Amino acid sequence: MRVKLLAYTQNAEAICAAAGKSCYSERSSMELVDAPNPGKVLGKIVGMGHHSVIEHAVFTFSIEGVSRSLTHQLVRHRVASFSQQSQRYVSMDKPTYVIPKTVEADPELKKEFERTMSEIWASYNRLVEKIPPEDARYVLPNACTTNITITMNARELIHFFSLRCCNRAQWEIREMADEMLRQCKEVYPVIFKGAGPPCVKGACPEGKLTCGAPRVEFRD
């Protein structure tokens, strides 16, 4: 898996702070954007629960080498834009797939898994000689790797991190979310202060389903 923050709104703290201040001012955000201490102002606004202002900050990630199983979960986050590698137009003739860690840990299971993958790709290559790739791809597994580009605003990212950085999230998407959060905090620590699973800021909302192991590494 490779995760890279390709682009993000420049001067986002100043823009978001100006947007927030403009709601209570006779002046527009263009007049307020150069005000001093935008991080402090924005921290106060977001701390009061006014998260709509951080929707003006947008982040684009390139994700490489993840499974189709992960992207099936990812696209459930609807306030986002996705561009995924097409199995219709990109050759899938070579086997590339994600092996779960539970399989990796057991030599016999790993051997069985890899044998199954080999058989699937052999079937795919036989099919693609006679039918269109868009039909042959039906035999490909959830483990098949893919690349995807994701764009989300900061508010949706914080919601995404609250769900997918949780220990109860599926391991692969959790690893991706953890790395996305790490890169977001590097560029805008004020916006993403407190971001992560709910246990970072308080009690776990999962009740009896809680993992019982708060993710302290995300605490600011």
Side-chain angles (χ1 to χ4, degrees), residues 115-143:
R115 182 173 60 249
T116 302
M117 293 298 110
S118 179
E119 291 171 356
I120 287 173
W121 258 272
S123 177
Y124 171 84
N125 284 320
R126 288 194 297 270
L127 289 169
V128 85
E129 290 177 357
K130 298 181 179 180
I131 63 176
E134 64 185 48
D135 294 336
R137 65 179 171 162
Y138 277 69
V139 300
L140 294 176
N142 273 338

Side-chain angles (χ1 to χ4, degrees), residues 87-118:
Q87 290 182 336
R88 293 182 67 194
Y89 302 113
V90 177
S91 174
M92 295 287 118
D93 59 325
K94 296 180 181 178
T96 58
Y97 49 86
V98 174
I99 303 179
K101 294 176 181 178
T102 49
V103 176
E104 284 272 14
D106 187 315
E108 287 302 314
L109 289 181
K110 184 180 180 184
K111 188 182 298 183
E112 180 178 342
F113 189 93
E114 290 177 333
R115 182 173 60 249
T116 302
M117 293 298 110
S118 179

Side-chain angles (χ1 to χ4, degrees), residues 64 70 78 80 89 100 152 199 204 207-208:
E64 179 183 313
L70 182 152
R78 297 177 180 86
Y89 302 113
M152 294 187 191
C199 58
C204 174
K208 292 180 179 180

Side-chain angles (χ1 to χ4, degrees), residues 35-216:
N37 301 318
K40 183 177 180 180
V41 172
L42 183 61
K44 182 178 180 180
I45 293 171
V46 173
M48 293 169 65
H50 301 310
H51 293 155
S52 63
V53 298
I54 60 173
E55 291 177 14
H56 298 291
V58 178
F59 299 76
T60 298
F61 295 86
S62 175
I63 310 296
E64 179 183 313
V66 294
S67 72
R68 285 265 169 172
S69 178
L70 182 152
T71 58
H72 292 332
Q73 298 175 72
L74 177 62
V75 296
R76 294 173 188 162
H77 296 271
R78 297 177 180 86
V79 187
S81 300
F82 304 104
S83 299
Q84 185 168 6
Q85 183 183 63
S86 172
Q87 290 182 336
R88 293 182 67 194
Y89 302 113
V90 177
S91 174
M92 295 287 118
D93 59 325
K94 296 180 181 178
T96 58
Y97 49 86
V98 174
I99 303 179
K101 294 176 181 178
T102 49
V103 176
E104 284 272 14
D106 187 315
E108 287 302 314
L109 289 181
K110 184 180 180 184
K111 188 182 298 183
E112 180 178 342
F113 189 93
E114 290 177 333
R115 182 173 60 249
T116 302
M117 293 298 110
S118 179
E119 291 171 356
I120 287 173
W121 258 272
S123 177
Y124 171 84
N125 284 320
R126 288 194 297 270
L127 289 169
V128 85
E129 290 177 357
K130 298 181 179 180
I131 63 176
E134 64 185 48
D135 294 336
R137 65 179 171 162
Y138 277 69
V139 300
L140 294 176
N142 273 338
C144 185
T145 57
T146 187
N147 304 327
I148 192 165
T149 305
I150 309 166
T151 298
M152 294 187 191
N153 67 53
R155 186 180 194 179
E156 177 59 17
L157 274 170
I158 288 173
H159 172 66
F160 173 76
F161 295 144
S162 74
L163 298 175
R164 302 302 184 175
C165 291
C166 174
N167 281 333
R168 298 193 68 247
Q170 193 259 349
W171 66 270
E172 188 183 14
I173 198 168
R174 185 175 66 244
E175 287 184 5
M176 184 190 75
D178 286 353
E179 180 58 20
M180 289 170 66
L181 175 54
R182 186 190 68 78
Q183 294 186 31
C184 284
K185 283 194 168 188
E186 279 188 355
V187 294
Y188 286 124
V190 171
I191 292 176
F192 293 97
K193 181 178 176 62
C199 58
V200 169
K201 293 181 287 187
C204 174
E206 296 285 347
K208 292 180 179 180
L209 297 178
T210 181
C211 72
R215 302 206 63 190
V216 296

